[in-house]
Amino acid sequence: MMDILLPILILGGIGLLFGIGLAIASKIFEIEQDERIPQVRAALPGANCGGCGYPGCDGLASAIVAGSALVTACPVASSDMVEAISGIMGVTASETEKMIANIHCKGDCTIVEDRATYYGIHDCKEAVIANGGTKACRYGCLGMGTCVRACQFDALTINVNGLAEVDVDKCTACGQCIDACPKGIISLAPYGQVIHVDCSSNAKGKQVRSVCSVGCIACRACVRACEYDAIEMVDNLAVIDYDKCVQCGACVEKCPTKAITFEGREIPEEHKRKTDLEKPIAVDLSELEEKAPVSK
Amino acid sequence: MKNILIILVSGVFVQNFITSRFLGICPFLGVSKKIETAMGMGVAVTFVMALASAITYVIQYAVLNPMGLAYLQTIAFILVIATLVQFVEMVIHKSSPGLYEALGVYLPLITTNCAVLGVAVLNIQEGYNFIETLFNGVAGALGFTLAIVMFAGIREQLEISDIPESLQGFPIALVSAGLMSVAFLGFSGML
């Protein structure tokens, strides 16, 4: 009996002694911290997975309270958890716009030809080393799936025509694919944004035309068509300012090569973009939706 | 006196915890990106190791041995170390929030730093007396600090060097750590 009791008592005693010591020390070395930090910490999953890029859930909790991280920064948290955190922080989650990755190229293998045959390692980064890849367009998606392998959330696939595609529901906007893509054709766009310039070519119009029928030829038709000043020509490429764009669809109509895409996908109410419409919408979106080739 | 000198030199150079015993590698790789944080980690570990050596010695010889409970050594020592780490965490958080930030998760992880438990267990195994135990703890911790600060210096230089992409980050760090360890091997003939 004593054989068991004695160790328990001794260890328990030592533990108790240390516990009391620590309790006293915690009073002496008490630090005033934002009371929301422990609250946010409690609302987080507590897996300490580091998926958010901060050192554990404690680190993220501090960052959220300090305002340097979004309430939605935890990739693991369920929508209930996010809601709880937003409740503590006094913001509504929808105020932080959900972002997704967008691939700015739609020149797949049925549209853009190969300049050569590549026998190397099946990876975009490797292929780029060999004279910029095999695609006739030097700016386009090589379709060897470097971004797919970079994605930890299974949100990217290479479609049958050799073009990377984003699963908008799985994408968490972590940015791994953006870093991985050697062509730099992936960027983040708001979830509710359905109009994109799906071309990354900085080549002159004539060169683009010679290799791709759906590339941006820098004709400026969209710039003229946009009543909201949301499109700019940067290095022979139309760039949409998502903050100004109201998704009226005028540019999609005018684009002669259809490099500006309208994605015919449903946007849930909470992700609808806040657009301050002063001018009427130029084009009926539902009409566009019918015309939209295939939803991406 | 000669005894203590030997313990000091052996702890810092010859039997260095990191380069020759390979204990405490986790913080060694984790907090060695900047000399400043490495120094802070070294100080924290020194404090924990010195106090842990003293307290575990007392517990071993005043509590566990007389009761015939020497088999409780590991769990009792871990208890001591965990308490000390909690204490150090509070002190650092209070006195130097910047350092607390920089050390991050590696500060509570001193608890599981095997160098700390290692030094406590080795003190008992080697049969050191109390003074020798203290010096062994301090020497081990100084050796740890020396290694981590030197390594941080190397890594700061690596940061601005042109390194092949496949070796960037941890690979080159591990290669450098290995080379540093080999360099420390040169001390092995001293004692």
Side-chain angles (χ1 to χ4, degrees):
Chain A
M1 191 60 190
M2 272 320 271
D3 282 351
I4 300 173
L5 263 186
L6 193 66
I8 294 175
L9 285 177
I10 295 284
L11 267 190
I14 296 175
L16 193 68
L17 208 70
F18 286 155
I20 294 169
L22 276 184
I24 296 168
S26 75
K27 280 284 165 224
I28 298 172
F29 294 102
E30 199 174 7
I31 300 172
E32 279 179 37
Q33 65 167 5
D34 199 319
E35 61 181 18
R36 290 176 301 179
I37 294 176
Q39 284 172 358
V40 172
R41 172 69 184 81
L44 287 169
N48 287 318
C49 65
C52 54
Y54 290 89
C57 295
D58 283 322
L60 180 60
S62 312
I64 288 177
V65 173
S68 55
L70 297 177
V71 289
T72 50
C74 177
V76 184
S78 65
S79 55
D80 286 347
M81 290 177 186
V82 173
E83 214 164 284
I85 299 167
S86 352
I88 297 164
M89 292 302 296
V91 294
T92 48
S94 58
E95 277 176 26
T96 58
E97 200 160 34
K98 180 179 160 72
M99 303 289 275
I100 49 163
N102 186 59
I103 290 159
H104 297 280
C105 177
K106 55 178 178 179
D108 59 33
C109 66
T110 62
I111 295 166
V112 182
E113 288 182 354
D114 278 350
R115 289 186 284 139
T117 316
Y118 172 70
Y119 290 107
I121 301 165
H122 196 75
D123 184 272
C124 303
K125 281 185 175 171
E126 297 295 336
V128 161
I129 294 170
N131 200 13
T134 55
K135 210 159 197 168
C137 171
R138 286 182 172 268
Y139 299 89
C141 173
L142 294 174
M144 293 185 187
T146 300
C147 52
V148 176
R149 288 184 286 278
C151 183
Q152 295 180 23
F153 301 94
D154 253 358
L156 283 157
T157 45
I158 300 294
N159 69 13
V160 283
N161 290 330
L163 208 59
E165 275 186 340
V166 180
D167 183 330
V168 293
D169 295 316
K170 285 181 182 166
C171 180
T172 60
C174 66
Q176 292 289 329
C177 52
I178 297 175
D179 295 338
C181 179
K183 294 285 188 184
I185 60 170
I186 311 179
S187 74
L188 290 184
Y191 185 86
Q193 178 77 26
V194 288
I195 293 175
H196 300 285
V197 178
D198 281 340
C199 178
S200 307
S201 175
N202 294 122
K204 294 226 168 74
K206 201 180 159 198
Q207 287 169 291
V208 175
R209 265 210 200 279
S210 67
V211 292
C212 177
S213 60
V214 293
C216 174
I217 53 171
C219 65
R220 306 184 68 88
C222 50
V223 179
R224 284 192 295 273
C226 185
E227 293 183 45
Y228 301 92
D229 233 7
I231 306 185
E232 215 186 329
M233 270 301 154
V234 182
D235 288 341
N236 298 317
L237 180 64
V239 177
I240 299 177
D241 183 341
Y242 295 135
D243 289 332
K244 289 183 186 164
C245 177
V246 299
Q247 314 208 61
C248 66
C251 52
V252 185
E253 274 280 291
K254 282 283 182 322
C255 182
T257 58
K258 299 293 161 224
I260 303 181
T261 324
F262 175 80
E263 292 174 55
R265 63 177 154 91
E266 291 277 317
I267 307 293
E269 197 55 47
E270 71 262 30
H271 291 308
K272 282 249 163 74
R273 302 216 60 207
K274 295 185 294 291
T275 43
D276 194 15
L277 280 180
E278 288 164 4
K279 293 171 194 167
I281 285 180
V283 181
D284 186 5
L285 283 182
S286 57
E287 224 172 83
L288 269 179
E289 206 157 335
E290 279 162 26
K291 282 189 219 162
V294 214
S295 76
K296 282 219 304 177
Chain B
M1 199 56 214
K2 193 186 161 205
N3 220 359
I4 284 167
L5 202 66
I6 288 175
I7 287 177
L8 272 177
V9 174
S10 146
V12 178
F13 297 109
V14 186
Q15 294 278 302
N16 188 296
F17 269 103
I18 289 188
T19 56
S20 116
R21 284 189 167 123
F22 305 116
L23 296 173
I25 300 296
C26 166
F28 176 66
L29 291 172
V31 225
S32 54
K33 283 217 177 98
K34 272 204 238 136
I35 291 183
E36 211 172 300
T37 49
M39 203 71 202
M41 190 68 186
V43 172
V45 169
T46 307
F47 182 79
V48 173
M49 264 188 166
L51 267 185
S53 297
I55 297 175
T56 51
Y57 181 88
V58 174
I59 284 186
Q60 177 77 29
Y61 288 106
V63 183
L64 297 184
N65 281 357
M67 301 281 187
L69 295 176
Y71 64 89
L72 285 179
Q73 195 190 48
T74 312
I75 190 166
F77 285 9
I78 286 290
L79 202 61
V80 173
I81 294 164
T83 310
L84 283 172
V85 171
Q86 282 291 318
F87 182 70
V88 170
E89 203 181 338
M90 282 190 268
V91 174
I92 291 184
H93 199 171
K94 174 91 178 176
S95 57
S96 170
L99 183 60
Y100 182 81
E101 270 313 92
L103 293 177
V105 73
Y106 291 101
L107 188 53
L109 277 182
I110 302 178
T111 312
T112 50
N113 185 341
C114 41
V116 183
L117 182 65
V119 82
V121 173
L122 280 170
N123 287 334
I124 308 298
Q125 271 179 13
E126 300 282 333
Y128 289 145
N129 64 32
F130 187 70
I131 303 293
E132 287 169 337
T133 292
L134 267 184
F135 275 96
N136 193 38
V138 173
L142 286 181
F144 177 87
T145 311
L146 178 76
I148 195 171
V149 170
M150 279 171 58
F151 189 51
I154 295 174
R155 282 184 86 175
E156 278 190 358
Q157 289 299 311
L158 287 177
E159 199 77 358
I160 51 170
S161 309
D162 188 19
I163 298 163
E165 198 185 333
S166 54
L167 279 173
Q168 274 169 22
F170 271 113
I172 195 76
L174 288 170
V175 171
S176 329
L179 289 174
M180 210 176 96
S181 180
V182 173
F184 265 78
L185 211 65
F187 289 115
S188 63
M190 267 174 74
L191 294 174

